[in-house]
Amino acid sequence: ETGKTCVKHGHQCVRKIVSYCCFWNRRLGKTVHRAFEIVVKTLPGFEVWTTKGVVRKLRREVNHLEEQQKWKHVCMHCRRKKAPLEFSVCDASQFYEQTTIEAALDAIWWCLSQARTRTSKSTVTVVHGTSVEGRMGGTVPKFTPKTATTAVFTLHELLLFFVLFGCFPLVSIGEGLWLLSHTPIGGILGKIAAVAVATKAEVLWDELWYLSSPFLATCTLKRRSVVAL
């Protein structure tokens, strides 16, 4: 009745969360989600896939950074003063809603292609269970019984599954039917879409800095050194 009262800059007061509890074959969608996670983990992205032990994981990763004293208090890019370790806090829901389906599909294709190039594998094996287990590689069987303990997908099949599960833009609110232009929060492969877009940007950013920086061109550094800079 009173309209929006929040005046906080950049704050998103309303979020569109889509429930897929009645979607067809959600169990298959969960297995496909795990297959995508195994694929994306082959790339040098920064995603933290679970909140369990997240503080310990982040501290461990920070401790592995190789610090360059020259750039400890100065930004290598803009040459302004900075703290030894800088963080950026962003709204995850805004990232979902700014990720278009077209961008997500392009990033998924890029991640699948990169995974095949880096591992020389064109399939991924998922172990059925309570946690995400599996590996790149495996032979796709001609017939998969219901009692099978693993599922094997080709990378091409994963792309088709993303088109099926991740590019479904229709949602209903009451009697109305709405067409979304972005990745919905709560979607079966919504997180995979957002992670793929972020991973592509992170990996390309690393490669761009390595190729364009005079400092990096004069020496060989591990990837963690680039992150620290």
Side-chain angles (χ1 to χ4, degrees), residues 61-183:
E61 293 300 315
V62 169
N63 289 334
H64 288 167
L65 294 176
E66 296 182 13
E67 188 177 70
Q68 300 289 332
Q69 291 298 323
K70 180 178 180 181
W71 309 109
K72 185 174 182 179
H73 298 288
V74 179
C75 175
M76 183 180 181
H77 179 66
C78 66
R79 300 300 193 272
R80 294 182 180 179
K81 292 183 179 180
K82 71 174 187 68
L85 186 64
E86 295 281 356
F87 290 93
S88 176
V89 179
C90 303
D91 193 325
S93 63
Q94 289 186 4
F95 181 68
Y96 273 79
E97 296 187 0
Q98 292 173 4
T99 301
T100 64
I101 294 176
E102 292 79 7
L105 186 59
D106 176 73
I108 287 290
W109 170 253
W110 185 88
C111 289
L112 292 173
S113 301
Q114 287 290 311
R116 174 157 189 177
T117 300
R118 292 169 184 267
T119 66
S120 300
K121 304 291 184 182
S122 60
T123 60
V124 56
T125 300
V126 181
V127 179
H128 296 305
T130 57
S131 60
V132 180
E133 295 184 34
R135 61 182 176 83
M136 292 295 296
T139 302
V140 179
K142 294 182 179 180
F143 172 75
T144 303
K146 292 184 178 180
T147 57
T149 58
T150 61
V152 184
F153 303 97
T154 66
L155 300 185
H156 183 256
E157 286 176 332
L158 291 183
L159 179 64
L160 296 179
F161 274 122
F162 182 79
V163 173
L164 174 63
F165 288 112
C167 297
F168 196 81
L170 299 176
V171 298
S172 61
I173 303 178
E175 298 296 328
L177 191 64
W178 297 73
L179 179 65
L180 299 179
S181 61
H182 58 79
T183 302

Side-chain angles (χ1 to χ4, degrees), residues 179-229:
L179 179 65
L180 299 179
S181 61
H182 58 79
T183 302
I185 302 175
I188 294 178
L189 296 179
K191 181 176 180 179
I192 293 297
V195 169
V197 172
T199 298
K200 178 182 177 182
E202 291 159 1
V203 174
L204 293 180
W205 186 90
D206 277 359
E207 294 178 352
L208 176 64
W209 266 105
Y210 183 81
L211 294 175
S212 63
S213 173
F215 171 73
L216 297 179
T218 59
C219 60
T220 301
L221 294 176
K222 298 179 181 179
R223 178 180 175 280
R224 295 187 181 278
S225 302
V226 182
V227 177
L229 294 175

Side-chain angles (χ1 to χ4, degrees), residues 5-20:
T5 58
C6 176
V7 295
K8 185 177 180 180
H9 177 70
H11 184 249
Q12 189 172 13
C13 305
V14 180
R15 295 186 172 100
K16 296 187 289 290
I17 301 177
V18 181
S19 174
Y20 281 72

